[in-house]
Amino acid sequence: MIERSVGEKWKLKNNATDQTNSKTAIGIYQNNWLALSSSEGLQRLQPVAILNRYPDFPFDKLFLIAIEPKGIGYQVSGREFDSLSQRLGSVSIENTFEKSFLGDTIFHSLLNVFSPVVSIESVIENQVTVSEQASQYLTPDPILGMSEKDVYFTPFFRYLNRNREVKNIQFIPWTYLILEEMNRKYATCSLSSGLRGILSGSRRRVETLAIRVKPQYPQTNLALIPRGKSTQSYAGMRVQLSPLNPQEVRQRQIAAKKQKEQTKKPVTKPLDYITEQYLTNRSGKITLQTDPKQPLVWLYVRSGKALVANVPYIPGIDRDVSIQVPDDRIRLNVEGELAVLNGELIEAVASLSMKMARIRKWAKNNEWTKVNSGIKKLESEISPKQIFQEKLNVIQVTAVEAAQKQNNRAAQSRIASLCRDTASRIDRFLDPTGIIDFKTEIQDLRQLQEQAPKR
């Protein structure tokens, strides 16, 4: 059945090796080394067990199939091990009620767990050219070829030594290739990544490959964990889901801002790009449901109004996944201190306005002795602008030093932005020219009252 449907693309025998030795031969053999020959045993299996048994990798793909009785039928479980990525795929489980259908069910399970590997040939901005392994062979069944669009791949690096032996394999997190166009040899993919320039540039003795991924689970448990040695809890953080990447979101925000300036009306739906929104529990976790219509989504993680992470992800390809989020306590502390400072600023502006209103009243009632003493008191007091600027400098310097110790550049940028807004507010409401203009106003009132009797 495999030869009839797949043809030369899958090589099931190697005449150059000893076919009686299951460790070096290619073919179909009964498994006598798996401790638990069931779906549970396949789920518990770790890559190190396969690496220890097959150190020389006589194969490109290793498929493990377990057949168990279930009720009046049979349960067929399958799992794939890829030698290039040294990665175990997820377990696929299918059922059949007829013994005569076991062959079809096993073949369908093989196709379900099979993950083709492509080699990345070139990267130009967000366009990636790839070539599939054994692409020179066409499958007798065209459905089995890489002919589907919107197929997703996750890239990985194979680091080699001088003898072309693999030293390390590194998967690139939060990065996916989306198949768009293909021909017999090459295919074009679009790049969706939360990292900048991760695939660009040349690397010595590094193979850049990608393996297909697809949702296998109905949901994924996402956890927000601190970056570095931080012990911050990420309860109550918002995780927003969107089909749009940050560039597209930014374009919409700019368009909405222009519309608001032209119409002088607020935009009715400023967050129309958000399809779902979650709030993390006490452990900093949420559950993402798999969506076959929109497999890949962008995750926007927010602490208050601040965006702390934005990455693409395909829910369902893992049972559990975590995002490292930078420590945001410094920014939160700054926001709290600035909120107190802004409250004091409002109180100081209100107090100053009340004093000036009292002096105006005295001037209108021709009580110039009180006016003179009130103005002298205003001039003798320490400038409220200077007081608030000193308080703001203490807040900013302390927070920036703490962020620098953590090497947290994002926090430094946010702190600078918050303090800049508060500084402009202090300049606006506590400008010394306001006192000068007020004294000029009082002087004009005095001159008018002195000239009134002469008329």
Side-chain angles (χ1 to χ4, degrees):
M1 182 180 294
I2 294 176
E3 293 179 352
R4 185 174 66 249
S5 301
V6 184
E8 296 179 287
K9 209 174 188 69
W10 287 11
K11 189 177 181 181
L12 302 181
K13 293 182 180 180
N14 187 359
N15 298 326
T17 59
D18 183 7
Q19 295 298 310
T20 61
N21 187 353
S22 61
K23 290 187 178 182
T24 60
I26 298 175
I28 301 174
Y29 298 91
Q30 183 177 354
N31 188 302
N32 56 9
W33 56 268
L34 191 62
L36 190 60
S37 299
S38 63
S39 60
E40 186 176 353
L42 292 180
Q43 189 65 51
R44 292 181 180 180
L45 184 63
Q46 298 296 322
V48 65
I50 299 176
L51 294 174
N52 292 336
R53 181 168 180 80
Y54 301 100
D56 297 328
F57 291 126
F59 50 79
D60 293 320
K61 298 282 189 180
L62 174 66
F63 296 103
L64 300 167
I65 301 295
I67 304 173
E68 310 168 71
K70 184 177 181 182
I72 61 173
Y74 301 90
Q75 176 177 285
V76 177
S77 306
R79 198 172 189 186
E80 176 208 63
F81 176 81
D82 178 71
S83 64
L84 290 175
S85 62
Q86 298 182 11
R87 168 183 174 270
L88 268 171
S90 56
V91 176
S92 171
I93 298 177
E94 300 192 23
N95 299 300
T96 181
F97 297 99
E98 290 289 341
K99 189 174 183 179
S100 58
F101 292 156
L102 274 176
D104 292 334
T105 307
I106 293 173
F107 180 64
H108 190 270
S109 180
L110 289 176
L111 296 180
N112 193 30
V113 299
F114 174 65
S115 300
V117 175
V118 297
S119 177
I120 297 177
E121 304 293 341
S122 65
V123 180
I124 302 176
E125 295 182 351
N126 288 334
Q127 293 296 314
V128 182
T129 302
V130 301
S131 61
E132 184 189 10
Q133 283 188 317
S135 58
Q136 66 271 26
Y137 299 112
L138 295 178
T139 57
D141 189 347
I143 298 177
L144 303 181
M146 197 175 68
S147 58
E148 301 178 44
K149 287 189 177 183
D150 297 330
V151 172
Y152 298 91
F153 296 86
T154 180
F156 61 94
F157 295 140
R158 283 167 51 91
Y159 295 94
L160 311 177
N161 59 19
R162 294 181 179 180
N163 298 324
R164 307 300 294 178
E165 297 172 345
V166 179
K167 294 192 302 182
N168 186 30
I169 296 176
Q170 178 187 11
F171 276 86
I172 305 174
W174 315 115
T175 303
Y176 302 96
L177 306 181
I178 308 168
L179 187 62
E180 293 183 343
E181 298 180 3
M182 71 291 296
N183 52 38
R184 183 167 179 177
K185 177 63 177 175
Y186 297 104
T188 302
C189 301
S190 60
L191 176 63
S192 182
S193 177
L195 309 174
R196 294 182 181 179
I198 190 63
L199 294 179
S200 60
S202 59
R203 299 172 177 85
R204 293 183 60 189
R205 293 197 294 269
V206 177
E207 295 177 350
T208 309
L209 307 173
I211 187 169
R212 180 179 178 178
V213 291
K214 54 184 176 181
Q216 296 285 354
Y217 305 104
Q219 63 187 25
T220 295
N221 298 317
L222 173 69
L224 304 183
I225 61 175
R227 184 181 298 171
K229 298 180 181 180
S230 173
T231 58
Q232 180 183 6
S233 173
Y234 290 108
M237 296 188 71
R238 286 183 299 153
V239 180
Q240 299 172 333
L241 273 62
S242 173
L244 305 182
N245 59 42
Q247 291 78 15
E248 294 170 332
V249 170
R250 182 60 180 164
Q251 290 174 359
R252 288 204 176 190
Q253 291 175 342
I254 293 174
K257 185 178 180 180
K258 289 182 178 179
Q259 180 184 352
K260 181 180 178 181
E261 293 175 351
Q262 292 174 356
T263 60
K264 305 299 182 180
K265 295 181 181 179
V267 181
T268 54
K269 295 182 179 180
L271 297 178
D272 58 347
Y273 60 91
I274 301 299
T275 56
E276 292 184 73
Q277 184 167 266
Y278 298 89
L279 203 64
T280 57
N281 58 20
R282 292 182 178 180
S283 302
K285 297 180 179 180
I286 62 171
T287 300
L288 301 175
Q289 302 296 328
T290 302
D291 185 2
K293 296 181 179 179
Q294 183 66 43
L296 188 143
V297 294
W298 277 83
L299 307 178
Y300 294 91
V301 183
R302 296 184 182 275
S303 175
K305 294 183 179 180
L307 180 67
V308 295
N310 55 318
V311 294
Y313 186 63
I314 303 176
I317 62 174
D318 305 290
R319 275 200 175 96
D320 302 283
V321 70
S322 59
I323 299 179
Q324 288 188 341
V325 179
D327 193 341
D328 202 40
R329 287 178 295 182
I330 299 174
R331 182 194 63 83
L332 293 174
N333 291 336
V334 169
E335 281 193 352
E337 292 177 352
L338 290 181
V340 174
L341 186 64
N342 284 324
E344 294 176 355
L345 176 61
I346 293 172
E347 188 176 336
V349 171
S351 176
L352 182 62
S353 299
M354 188 168 57
K355 291 178 182 178
M356 294 170 68
R358 190 182 298 120
I359 293 173
R360 273 195 199 92
K361 183 178 179 181
W362 291 337
K364 290 179 181 179
N365 294 335
N366 206 15
E367 300 178 20
W368 296 108
T369 303
K370 293 182 178 180
V371 169
N372 294 335
S373 62
I375 291 177
K376 286 182 180 179
K377 189 175 180 181
L378 279 180
E379 293 176 336
S380 62
E381 292 176 351
I382 301 176
S383 170
K385 180 179 179 180
Q386 181 181 352
I387 295 174
F388 279 94
Q389 283 179 336
E390 290 176 354
K391 289 182 178 180
L392 179 62
N393 288 336
V394 171
I395 294 173
Q396 183 172 2
V397 170
T398 305
V400 168
E401 288 179 350
Q404 287 176 345
K405 288 181 180 179
Q406 297 182 358
N407 197 22
N408 192 340
R409 295 182 179 180
Q412 296 179 45
S413 176
R414 296 189 187 105
I415 291 167
S417 177
L418 291 170
C419 294
R420 196 182 305 116
D421 293 340
T422 303
S424 63
R425 201 173 291 118
I426 293 173
D427 291 337
R428 177 182 176 186
F429 293 106
L430 296 180
D431 191 348
T433 57
I435 302 295
I436 297 174
D437 294 339
F438 175 71
K439 290 174 63 178
T440 303
E441 177 188 348
I442 297 301
Q443 186 65 29
D444 292 341
L445 284 174
R446 182 192 292 267
Q447 291 178 358
L448 288 173
Q449 290 189 9
E450 290 176 353
Q451 293 174 3
K454 297 179 181 181
R455 293 177 184 175

